[in-house]
Amino acid sequence: MNVLVVGGAGYIGSHMVRMLVQAGHHPVILDNLCDGHRASVSGQTLHVGELADRELLDRIFKSEGIDAVMHFAAFAQVGESVIDPAKYYVNNIMATLVLLEAMRDNGVTRFVFSSTCATYGEPQTIPIKESEPQLPVNPYGFTKLVIERALEDYAAAYGFAYAALRYFNAAGASPDGDIGEDHDPETHLIPIVLQVALGQRSHVTIFGDDYETPDGTCIRDYIHVDDLARAHLTALEKLQPGSGIRLNLGTGTGYSVREVINACRNISGREIPEVMGVRREGDPPRLIADSSAAKELLGWVPKYQSVEDVVQTAWAWHCQHPRGYHDGPDVQ
Ligand code: UDP
């Protein structure tokens, strides 16, 4: 299949592109490189442009003979979405609707969407099943929920075949250390902690230890980026016209912020100073996936089960690319 990967030069998108190639598909990337890196997809077809550029989308759909779309080009920081919600409403909703319109007009109805556990808000039941009410507590989660709802309606009315994959905390890097996480500024826990291990930061700030969890810090389910990509690939092959697949993707095991920092200490063998800070707005205390539906429907079982396994791959990437993609020859 010719698969348009929107946001394909970003963190999760670039791992997806690699996997599509390995599976014999032809990925076509659209990325504005605001967070993506040319070097993460070298050798692949890359269109640099905006998701909301309808003319560009039409050109790509026609010239590349696109059969299906995977969408990774959303803003995805909970804290930022609280401070600057307009950025999230405009990109995550408005630009995505432009993409869906372009798909409709070009007769493309297969769509795999990066959704999120943030659509559940503060769940009543842990681990979280797909049937849990979706009551997001931050603008990021809400913008993703809006698109999930639109997809449900587009499937019923226009025959869209979609999968909404609700990621828990994407983490890790390709095991060969070639591609990995490189955000500027970095906000995610594991890369920040590993930057401390590398001596690039003096310490990691823990965002609150007064949550109702055993050690007081927030608990998350860290899922390896290649495990996520594999679920997308299988979902793509299972899409059915007029219906949607909605699945949680996580390991089913939660780790507290303190446990993640300790895992990074164990893997890196480095000292990692920590400082206690205040809560970050919009952070639910515990998010752990029940992914049994993904196992049943896709036969999907995460290969990386423990956070140490995930951190190991991230550490390999950070050691080989201490300045991220700016170390490579293909700097952008
Ligand atoms: N976190 C932290 N210090 C940091 C970055 C993150 O304590 O410098 C915490 C954050 O509050 C959350 C967890 O680590 O409980 C994971 O945060 P991240 O931003 O990696 O992912 P999110 O859960 O927001 O998608």
Side-chain angles (χ1 to χ4, degrees), residues 119-121 123-125 128-136 149:
T119 58
Y120 296 114
Q124 296 302 306
T125 314
I128 305 167
K129 283 188 187 297
E130 288 81 358
S131 54
E132 182 73 22
Q134 288 177 292
L135 300 166
R149 292 287 151 81

Side-chain angles (χ1 to χ4, degrees), residues 169 187-189 192 205-207 218 220 222 257 280 283:
N169 284 59
T187 64
H188 292 109
L189 181 63
I192 285 178
T205 302
I206 298 177
F207 295 150
C218 285
R220 296 287 182 272
Y222 295 88
V257 173
R280 184 175 66 178
D283 269 345

